[in-house]
């Protein structure tokens, strides 16, 4: 006589417990994106070098080069775990990792010599020396990414992307935060 009621109660409890898990799994589908590039910047840099301060070499040797670098930044969605999600009815809070700079790329054809002055007793800059100067420029560009606002823009775009994704899942209130701290459950 009680068996149908027990079965019905079991089904209701199981359905209530799987709904949050299903919601969390839908949100965790973002992890499959892995690294999402949300911003791409093109930066121009002037590189200048001179080694005329060596006392045993006669004459100057100077070079001025320009380069164009492509910076790509975004969010690594694979770092999201269940502890970064809090769902309450139609409200969701999601903590995303901070934006990172994925790449700084200077193509060889975008590296150009604008000016070169070589004294009569000096040799030209070698390909290896030019490559070292380009590597220095790449490091300087990479170090200046934060001051250029690349990471802030990447986070703003990722927040917009994640908000739209979650609204499409049916959430009415979406809160996106950045950091490594898990969400506190109420």
């Amino acid at each position: 006589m009680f068996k149908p009621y027990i079965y019905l109660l079991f089904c209701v409890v199981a359905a209530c417990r799987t709904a949050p898990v299903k919601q969390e799994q839908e949100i965790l589908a973002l992890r499959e994106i892995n690294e999402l590039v949300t911003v791409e910047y093109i930066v121009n840099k002037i590189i200048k070098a001179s080694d005329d301060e060596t006392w045993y070499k006669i004459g100057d040797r100077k070079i001025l080069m320009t380069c164009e670098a492509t910076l790509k930044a975004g969010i690594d969605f694979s770092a999201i775990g269940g502890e970064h999600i809090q769902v309450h009815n139609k409200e969701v809070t999601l903590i995303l990792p901070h934006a990172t700079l994925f790449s700084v790329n200077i193509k060889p054809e975008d590296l150009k010599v604008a000016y070169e002055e070589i004294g009569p007793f000096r040799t030209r800059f070698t390909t290896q020396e030019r490559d070292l100067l380009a590597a220095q420029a790449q490091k300087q560009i990479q170090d200046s990414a934060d001051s250029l606002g690349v990471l802030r823009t990447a986070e703003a775009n990722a927040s917009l992307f994640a908000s739209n994704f979650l609204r499409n899942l049916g959430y009415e209130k979406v809160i996106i935060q950045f950091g490594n701290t898990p969400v506190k459950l109420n």
Side-chain angles (χ1 to χ4, degrees):
M1 178 170 150
F2 290 106
K3 288 185 181 183
Y5 294 113
I6 292 174
Y7 179 72
L8 180 64
L9 180 63
F10 176 74
C11 291
V12 168
V13 169
C16 290
R17 292 190 56 88
T18 58
V21 172
K22 183 177 183 264
Q23 290 174 325
E24 187 176 295
Q25 291 304 316
E26 288 177 333
I27 296 168
L28 287 176
L30 282 170
R31 286 194 298 201
E32 295 178 21
I33 295 172
N34 286 325
E35 293 180 346
L36 176 68
V37 174
T38 58
V39 69
E40 181 176 298
Y41 273 51
I42 307 286
V43 177
N44 291 306
K45 174 109 175 115
I46 296 174
I47 308 161
K48 65 179 185 173
S50 172
D51 73 345
D52 54 355
E53 296 182 14
T54 309
W55 67 272
Y56 59 88
K57 294 181 181 174
I58 300 171
D60 292 343
R61 189 169 82 136
K62 299 176 184 181
I63 191 167
L64 184 68
M65 299 187 309
T66 62
C67 71
E68 184 176 283
T70 304
L71 285 75
K72 292 183 180 181
I75 303 295
D76 182 6
F77 281 101
S78 66
I80 300 171
E83 68 275 10
H84 299 108
I85 301 167
Q86 181 181 10
V87 177
H88 183 69
N89 296 328
K90 293 288 183 181
E91 179 180 323
V92 63
T93 300
L94 176 63
I95 296 182
L96 296 175
H98 285 289
T100 57
L101 190 62
F102 293 138
S103 68
V104 177
N105 187 21
I106 300 175
K107 296 178 188 169
E109 62 267 17
D110 292 334
L111 189 61
K112 297 178 175 77
V113 176
Y115 174 79
E116 192 172 29
E117 180 184 319
I118 309 296
F121 301 107
R122 301 295 306 271
T123 59
R124 299 180 63 91
F125 283 89
T126 64
T127 304
Q128 183 181 7
E129 289 172 320
R130 290 179 190 189
D131 289 346
L132 287 172
L133 291 171
Q136 268 184 334
Q138 184 171 348
K139 173 101 174 79
Q140 290 171 351
I141 292 169
Q142 188 172 350
D143 292 344
S144 68
D146 195 33
S147 65
L148 293 171
V150 174
L151 300 178
R152 281 189 306 275
T153 304
E155 286 184 359
N157 292 345
S159 178
L160 182 63
F161 173 82
S163 293
N164 288 335
F165 178 84
L166 294 170
R167 288 187 203 291
N168 286 336
L169 290 178
Y171 295 101
E172 295 170 3
K173 184 175 180 186
V174 176
I175 300 168
I176 305 292
Q177 299 172 346
F178 291 89
N180 299 326
T181 311
V183 183
K184 292 182 179 147
L185 299 175
N186 293 334

